[in-house]
Amino acid sequence: MTADGGPEIWFYHLERSTLDQVLPVLLDKTLQRGWRATVRAASFEALEPVDERLWTFRDDSFLPHGRADQPHAERQPVLLSVARENLNRSQALFVIDDTDLDGLEGIERCFIIFDGRDDQALGAARDRWRRLKGQGANLSYWRQAEDGRWEKAA
């Protein structure tokens, strides 16, 4: 969390990997840190492939998660949600589409993940960056190096 009380906002620009490849790894690292996470999208339809992928992330295990429209949402270490409220008291919020950034209470780090090969998603991310920068948000921009590692570019 920043000195002004707002979360760090990290933009992840997908160029070499897909959301399907990147999101489970970031969620796994978040859980290893001892944090809870929310994955937010504009619709549950957008979250269905995420739900499926988290069950099959590894051959020998899955990432524990649930949906906000199911019982016990508040208990989930990873919550898939369209709600603006922090239902499971997450420290990390993962935004996978152009949904609102409302409801950041309790969030320490917000990850905005976008596909740089999609012109609409890229344009929306650039607009969002400019808007947040103008509001004085604590922003970081991450992109993949040739070898697939993430590098902070801004």
Side-chain angles (χ1 to χ4, degrees):
M1 196 165 294
T2 63
D4 69 356
E8 297 175 312
I9 301 175
W10 292 8
F11 283 71
Y12 271 74
H13 185 157
L14 301 177
E15 293 178 294
R16 291 172 179 74
S17 300
T18 64
L19 179 68
D20 200 41
Q21 295 166 319
V22 171
L23 183 60
V25 174
L26 291 174
L27 288 170
D28 192 40
K29 287 181 180 185
T30 299
L31 294 177
Q32 288 175 20
R33 185 177 191 154
W35 283 5
R36 289 175 173 243
T38 296
V39 179
R40 185 188 295 169
S43 70
F44 276 113
E45 292 78 28
L47 290 167
E48 285 176 14
V50 173
D51 189 13
E52 189 63 35
R53 177 67 174 134
L54 297 183
W55 285 117
T56 61
F57 169 51
R58 291 195 180 108
D59 291 339
D60 61 342
S61 69
F62 63 92
L63 283 171
H65 68 283
R67 292 172 45 131
D69 62 345
Q70 299 294 318
H72 310 295
E74 71 283 354
R75 295 183 186 173
Q76 301 302 326
V78 175
L79 187 65
L80 308 181
S81 182
V82 298
R84 303 303 178 249
E85 298 84 24
N86 190 352
L87 299 173
N88 66 337
R89 299 172 318 283
S90 294
Q91 292 86 4
L93 173 65
F94 293 82
V95 176
I96 61 169
D97 59 18
D98 199 27
T99 193
D100 293 332
L101 288 183
D102 297 337
L104 295 178
E105 294 78 24
I107 300 296
E108 299 208 20
R109 188 168 298 144
C110 176
F111 298 81
I112 298 172
I113 304 172
F114 63 97
D115 187 346
R117 297 159 293 209
D118 177 327
D119 290 339
Q120 185 175 354
L122 183 59
R126 286 178 176 158
D127 289 345
R128 182 174 266 174
W129 175 276
R130 281 191 291 275
R131 195 169 53 253
L132 290 168
K133 188 161 185 73
Q135 295 169 2
N138 181 6
L139 304 176
S140 296
Y141 174 78
W142 298 81
R143 66 184 318 159
Q144 282 182 302
E146 290 293 326
D147 64 4
R149 288 182 305 116
W150 288 98
E151 294 179 338
K152 188 174 181 179

